[in-house]
C-alpha cells in the first residue's frame, strides 16, 4: 500500500490478460471518508496480504466499480467485507451487463451522503463502456480507470506492440486510447464532461493501467484531451 497524497493510497495488483492476449497492469485505490470508513476503488484480485493491509488502515464502507469493465472482483471483496456497500457506474446490473453482486447505489451526479465533500464525479459515456471519473479533493487527484492509459513502450511484443502503439496505449504520458476516442457518439456531452474535469484543481492523476502522475496533473489532462 503506497500513500498518494492526503488520505489516499494505491495498491498494485497482478497483471491480467484480456481479449486477444493483451495483458495489463492493475491498480486499486483506497481513500479515507470523512467519518473514518474506507472507500475502495476498482478492487484488484483478492489477496490475504492486501486484505490485511486494508484492515490495518480501517473498515471498508464502500466498494466502487468505476466503469462497466472493472467489476470482476467486486463480489469477492464484498464477501470479505460484508458490511460494505457497493457503488457502481451506470449500466452495471442492466440485462446486457449482468453482474454477480447486488448494487446498493448507481452513481450519477449525486454521491452518497457519507462521502461528504471528499469526491466529485463526472460520467463519460462511450460505446465501449461507461466510466466514472472521480476527483479526490483532499489529495487533488483525478482518478481515471480505462479512459487514460500509458503502458511502457516495451510492454507488449510482436503484433500486439504495433497495435498498442497505433491505439496510443503506450504513449510517454497518459492519454486516451484511440479506440475510446472513436467510441464517443455524443461529442457535445463529451466536451461537457471534459470541461468539468479540466475545471478541477488537479495536482495528481491516477489510472488503473499506467504510471500515476504525482505533479502538474492538470496539464497532463489538458494534453490528454487536446483532441476533443
Amino acid at each position: 500500500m503506497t500513500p498518494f497524497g492526503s488520505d489516499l493510497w494505491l495498491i498494485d495488483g497482478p497483471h491480467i490478460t484480456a481479449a486477444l492476449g493483451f495483458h495489463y497492469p492493475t491498480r486499486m485505490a483506497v481513500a479515507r471518508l470523512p467519518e473514518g470508513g474506507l472507500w475502495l476503488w476498482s478492487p484488484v484480485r483478492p489477496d490475504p496480504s492486501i486484505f490485511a493491509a486494508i484492515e490495518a488502515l480501517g473498515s471498508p464502507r464502500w466498494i466502487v466499480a468505476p466503469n462497466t469493465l472493472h467489476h470482476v472482483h467486486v463480489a469477492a471483496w464484498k464477501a470479505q467485507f460484508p458490511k460494505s456497500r457497493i457503488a457502481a457506474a451506470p449500466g452495471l446490473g442492466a440485462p446486457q451487463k449482468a453482474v454477480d453482486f447486488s448494487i446498493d447505489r448507481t452513481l450519477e451526479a449525486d454521491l452518497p451522503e457519507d462521502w461528504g465533500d471528499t469526491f466529485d464525479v463526472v460520467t463519460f459515456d462511450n460505446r465501449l463502456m461507461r466510466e466514472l471519473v472521480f476527483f479526490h479533493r483532499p489529495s487533488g487527484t483525478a482518478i481515471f480507470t480505462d479512459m487514460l492509459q500509458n503502458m511502457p513502450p516495451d510492454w507488449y511484443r510482436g503484433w500486439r506492440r504495433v497495435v498498442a502503439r497505433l491505439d496510443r496505449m503506450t504513449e510517454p504520458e497518459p492519454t486516451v486510447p484511440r479506440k475510446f476516442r472513436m467510441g464517443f457518439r455524443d461529442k457535445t456531452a463529451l466536451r461537457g464532461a471534459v470541461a468539468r474535469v479540466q475545471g478541477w484543481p488537479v495536482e495528481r492523476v491516477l489510472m488503473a493501467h499506467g504510471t500515476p502522475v504525482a505533479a502538474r496533473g492538470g496539464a497532463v489532462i489538458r494534453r490528454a484531451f487536446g483532441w476533443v
Side-chain angles (χ1 to χ4, degrees), residues 1-79:
M1 184 177 293
T2 305
F4 195 66
S6 179
D7 288 336
L8 185 67
W9 296 264
L10 309 183
I11 299 174
D12 287 348
H15 299 167
I16 60 169
T17 300
L20 302 177
F22 282 90
H23 63 286
Y24 295 85
T26 62
R27 177 177 296 113
M28 67 179 291
V30 181
R32 194 183 303 281
L33 294 169
E35 297 180 3
L38 300 181
W39 178 91
L40 311 181
W41 169 89
S42 189
V44 297
R45 190 172 70 193
D47 181 272
S49 64
I50 296 177
F51 291 154
I54 288 174
E55 288 171 336
L57 191 63
S59 177
R61 183 171 296 172
W62 286 92
I63 299 171
V64 180
N67 71 18
T68 47
L69 299 176
H70 278 238
H71 60 85
V72 174
H73 301 303
V74 168
W77 280 77
K78 173 68 174 181

Side-chain angles (χ1 to χ4, degrees), residues 123-166:
T123 302
F124 282 79
D125 287 306
N126 192 282
R127 284 184 299 171
L128 301 179
M129 65 176 179
R130 301 185 77 186
E131 176 164 311
L132 298 167
V133 176
F134 293 95
F135 179 59
H136 181 249
R137 290 192 176 93
S139 66
T141 303
I143 304 176
F144 292 81
T145 311
D146 293 320
M147 194 64 60
L148 294 186
Q149 298 180 13
N150 77 314
M151 272 72 77
D154 60 350
W155 184 257
Y156 298 108
R157 293 285 186 268
W159 65 269
R160 293 184 184 87
R161 183 171 184 171
V162 176
V163 171
R165 179 175 57 81
L166 293 174

Side-chain angles (χ1 to χ4, degrees), residues 97-142:
K97 195 64 179 179
V99 293
D100 57 349
F101 52 85
S102 297
I103 296 171
D104 297 292
R105 182 72 171 262
T106 296
L107 298 177
E108 296 282 358
D110 59 321
L111 299 177
E113 289 185 4
D114 59 342
W115 293 20
D117 294 328
T118 302
F119 294 98
D120 197 358
V121 66
V122 173
T123 302
F124 282 79
D125 287 306
N126 192 282
R127 284 184 299 171
L128 301 179
M129 65 176 179
R130 301 185 77 186
E131 176 164 311
L132 298 167
V133 176
F134 293 95
F135 179 59
H136 181 249
R137 290 192 176 93
S139 66
T141 303

